[in-house]
Amino acid sequence: MPQQRRAQATRRAIVVAAAEEFEDAGYDGTPLSAILRRSGATKGAFYFHFSSKEALAVTLVRLQGRHWPRLRQRWLRRRLDPLSIAVGMADEASRLLENDVVIRAGTRLARHRIGRNLAAHRAAAEWEQVLTELLQRSAEHGLLRAGVNPVEVARVIHAAMVGVRVVGADVSPGPGVGARAAEVWQVILQGIATAEWLRSNRFLRTVHLP
Amino acid sequence: MPQQRRAQATRRAIVVAAAEEFEDAGYDGTPLSAILRRSGATKGAFYFHFSSKEALAVTLVRLQGRHWPRLRQRWLRRRLDPLSIAVGMADEASRLLENDVVIRAGTRLARHRIGRNLAAHRAAAEWEQVLTELLQRSAEHGLLRAGVNPVEVARVIHAAMVGVRVVGADVSPGPGVGARAAEVWQVILQGIATAEWLRSNRFLRTVHLP
């Protein structure tokens, strides 16, 4: 059905154009006309897909919200040790935020605009929970040094991953979000992983996996 | 001059009430009437001090903006090794953000509302710069383990400190911003500081200093 495919392409163009405009000028600073201009869609096409700019923003929030549980599930199913899964999972999330404007805009809207911040709070709690479980399993598997508190480490990694998103956009020129996320692992793993785990260098092979 | 003192008390009450309201309902969601109600100020008193809600927000941004360079200068003058200064400086900043609603609201406004984010970008660049210099001096003084890259570590610490602010507010119940910031140091110092520096436990004495 070429007509349906064309409609989907238009919808996608509107979503991407909105994400780019919101990023440049902010949600409040973006008139509908700018989204239409950038996407090449007509007003009629816009209202065929979305009832308002707000509805489009809710869609962006929903798109990113669906993404994270899938990404985590994919990593949790991999046959890797739990520390490598934690590294790979967080690394992929950071690279996605750096490279995908739709995910990035949706994440920002979830925090600052839509749904009174509830989506952002839930997402943060879920990331912290998954990282905590993986670090606890890492401790049980003997991958962490004696005396390392896996719950504390999970909280620190989570905070650092959230921070690289904010700082990576703030402080430029400088490393981007993905490169800063890799630095987080390099610095933190030195202090928490066993010499054996570090020697095997599994994290270097895990980071940057597609 | 009791009249002048009363005017200053009213001004301060308006600033604090605005910070609290912005935190509860957001800048857009806070009508002037809510600030007046919470502060107990009259409309006339408000307009004696501020030309608009926007002008009040600019004041909040300016108040927090003045605070950070002073805090850093105070720590840089202390007779401590550079690593202890970095720890103490970042720790005090985190505790201040946790405990002072005016600083906290001003920091949020700087990022999301006022001045197109420029104040937030400048503040982030300054923090990263100061932390980088302190970590480089720590390396020169032999306080960091061999192979540790002080520039990388400074970026990671900076990101983690920004992240604990966001996450500490998002994920609750859980440790607050100050406690999470202390965890950042505990986890990262284990991986970067020399055994001798860690044994001396200077950072434990530095953290929580008034």
Side-chain angles (χ1 to χ4, degrees), chain A residues 18 99 150 152:
Chain A
N99 298 322
E152 255 180 45

Side-chain angles (χ1 to χ4, degrees), chain A residues 12-22 30 34-40 101-102:
Chain A
R12 178 70 192 169
I14 293 168
V15 164
V16 172
E20 290 169 348
E21 286 291 333
F22 293 164
T30 299
I35 300 174
L36 297 182
R37 194 163 45 238
R38 197 186 275 244
S39 65
V101 68
V102 173

